[in-house]
């Protein structure tokens, strides 16, 4: 009985630890205009993590200003930022995005 109990909690513990939070500096931009993603209509916020682009859930492209601004807009430039979140069902579910200052 003790062995069954131990195996059960080991399996539960491993399945709960499958979430892999990502916290890193990544590229942030418009998925359609800059990262060539086409699974959504219009302009949507996206991040590129380890050379793979993901649409973002939790933040909107206009949360960081005018997406079409010539110097800072995500449809015009790719910016760097510290992102925190996880990839779920092919999207990056962000809990935090802090953009780096433009030099």
């Amino acid at each position: 009985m003790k062995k069954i109990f131990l195996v059960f909690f080991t399996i539960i513990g491993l399945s709960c630890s499958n979430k892999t939070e990502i916290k890193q500096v990544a590229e942030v931009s418009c998925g359609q205009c800059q990262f060539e993603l086409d699974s959504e209509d219009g302009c949507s916020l996206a991040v590129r993590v380890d050379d793979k682009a993901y649409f973002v859930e939790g933040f909107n492209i206009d949360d960081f200003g005018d997406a079409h601004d010539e110097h800072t807009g995500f449809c015009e430039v790719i910016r760097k930022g510290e992102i925190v979140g996880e990839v779920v069902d092919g999207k990056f579910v962000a809990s935090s995005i802090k953009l780096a200052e433009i030099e």
Side-chain angles (χ1 to χ4, degrees):
M1 184 68 167
K2 288 181 183 179
K3 288 182 183 179
I4 293 173
F5 189 71
L6 182 61
V7 169
F8 176 75
F9 279 104
T10 301
I11 292 171
I12 295 296
L14 291 175
S15 66
C16 290
S17 66
N18 284 343
K19 290 188 176 185
T20 53
E21 182 178 74
I22 297 169
K23 182 178 182 180
Q24 70 180 57
V25 174
E27 294 177 319
V28 183
S29 198
C30 176
Q32 291 85 345
C33 297
Q34 298 294 327
F35 296 151
E36 300 178 8
L37 296 175
D38 60 7
S39 61
E40 292 186 10
D41 293 332
C43 294
S44 302
L45 188 63
V47 296
R48 189 160 31 210
V49 177
D50 299 328
D51 296 321
K52 182 160 175 52
Y54 301 94
F55 284 115
V56 172
E57 287 188 4
F59 290 87
N60 187 289
I61 195 165
D62 291 318
D63 289 345
F64 302 93
D66 180 5
H68 295 99
D69 181 272
E70 181 180 353
H71 302 289
T72 61
F74 290 130
C75 293
E76 304 296 329
V77 297
I78 298 173
R79 297 182 62 187
K80 296 276 189 186
E82 183 180 285
I83 61 170
V84 180
E86 60 185 330
V87 176
V88 177
D89 296 328
K91 292 191 175 195
F92 185 78
V93 180
S95 57
S96 173
I97 297 177
K98 295 180 183 172
L99 295 176
E101 294 297 320
I102 297 176
E103 297 175 16

